[in-house]
């Protein structure tokens, strides 16, 4: 985890559901150099020692930031759930549909979600996020790809559909606004997730469940995606891959429904934790208003 004000977060390890241990004296930050090192495995003993010494702190009242430092790149996979592809009226692609998000869209799991000026069709997408743990290029197989994964996190791949589809070109136009990638609360290392293809994902808007799915329905699994992407680009430690969303987006609802100021969006990723963000209108400086 990363705890503290925006831009001044410090690394921490969650203990149970409601406490954390600060590790900033040992870990500089949860960045590329940390993820590519062996430090992660050495934290168990340190955390146990600090818990025994009564140094665990309550999470209540603390701001939780995104669990990774701003990544080198955020890559998004489209139409990766059979039910979502069907809901959009499209066939499942033979190869993954890929787009990107601006890395500065990353925000904390409980930060405000700021609508861009003039937004009319801002939509939600609950997703499993993959965080890369070592430099990877042209990986040979899925076993190598597994070894390149540092862990997993919960992501809301927010998209403004009018900007995404009505201005030509690539989808990034609808995915690049500030606060459009709420991430966290935790980065779960690979050993903490028994079966990444058996995670339940849920998203509610104003208390109404809009999305309920499982990663078992992904067309392309996490290791397959990492191997595939590594044949087109160099993946760096800390890179975030958003792996696609199940059915139930606002765009595919009947009638379509989109986010408005005052709405409350809640996500549940099981062992990946919970998100809750309130939607607000953009002011003169949406970046400053994020947190």
């Amino acid at each position: 985890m990363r705890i503290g004000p925006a831009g001044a977060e410090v690394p921490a390890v969650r203990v149970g559901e409601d406490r954390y241990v600060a590790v900033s004296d040992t870990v500089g930050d949860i960045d590329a150099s940390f993820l590519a090192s062996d430090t992660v495995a050495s934290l168990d003993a340190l955390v146990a020692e600090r818990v025994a010494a009564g140094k665990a702190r309550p999470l209540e009242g603390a701001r939780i930031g995104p669990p990774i430092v701003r990544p080198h790149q955020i890559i998004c996979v489209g139409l990766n759930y059979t039910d979502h592809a069907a809901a959009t009226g499209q066939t499942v692609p033979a190869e993954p549909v890929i787009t990107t998000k601006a890395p500065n869209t990353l925000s904390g799991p409980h930060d405000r979600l700021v609508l861009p000026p003039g937004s009319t069709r801002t939509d939600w997408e609950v997703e499993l996020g993959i965080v890369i743990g070592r430099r990877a290029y042209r990986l040979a197989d899925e076993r190598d790809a597994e070894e390149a994964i540092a862990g997993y996190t919960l992501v809301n791949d927010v998209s403004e559909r009018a900007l995404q589809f009505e201005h030509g070109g690539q989808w990034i136009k609808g995915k690049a606004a500030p606060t459009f990638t709420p991430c966290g609360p935790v980065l779960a290392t690979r050993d903490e997730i028994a079966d990444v293809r058996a995670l339940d994902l849920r998203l509610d808007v104003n208390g109404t469940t809009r999305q309920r799915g499982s990663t078992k329905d992904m067309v392309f699994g996490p290791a397959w995606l990492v191997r595939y992407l590594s044949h087109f680009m160099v993946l760096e430690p800390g890179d975030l891959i958003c792996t696609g969303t199940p059915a139930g987006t606002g765009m595919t609802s009947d009638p379509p429904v989109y986010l408005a100021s005052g709405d409350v969006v809640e996500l549940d990723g099981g062992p990946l934790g919970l998100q809750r963000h309130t939607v607000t209108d953009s002011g003169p400086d949406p970046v400053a208003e994020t947190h």
Side-chain angles (χ1 to χ4, degrees), residues 217-260:
D217 295 321
M218 294 171 69
V219 179
F220 307 105
W224 194 98
L225 284 170
V226 171
R227 184 209 61 80
Y228 177 84
L229 289 169
S230 78
H231 282 253
F232 297 91
M233 65 193 75
V234 176
L235 300 174
E236 300 284 0
D239 282 356
L240 176 63
I241 302 170
C242 304
T243 60
T245 195
T249 60
M251 175 181 66
T252 60
S253 300
D254 185 17
V257 57
Y258 297 104
L259 295 174

Side-chain angles (χ1 to χ4, degrees), residues 2 10-11 14 37 54 69 87 101 112-113 115 126 131 136 152 166 179 183 194 230 242 252 255 289:
R2 298 171 69 246
V10 295
R14 190 176 73 178
S37 73
V69 175
K101 301 193 81 160
R112 290 185 291 174
L113 172 57
L115 298 173
V126 61
V131 177
Y152 303 99
E166 296 176 9
T179 76
C183 183
S230 78
C242 304
T252 60
E289 292 184 358

Side-chain angles (χ1 to χ4, degrees), residues 50-84:
R50 293 185 177 181
V51 170
K55 295 183 178 180
R57 306 172 185 178
L59 277 170
E60 185 176 1
R63 175 187 175 266
I64 301 173
I68 55 174
V69 175
R70 181 186 296 183
H72 163 257
Q73 59 182 342
I74 300 175
I75 304 164
C76 301
V77 182
L79 304 176
N80 196 27
Y81 283 74
T82 52
D83 58 355
H84 178 62

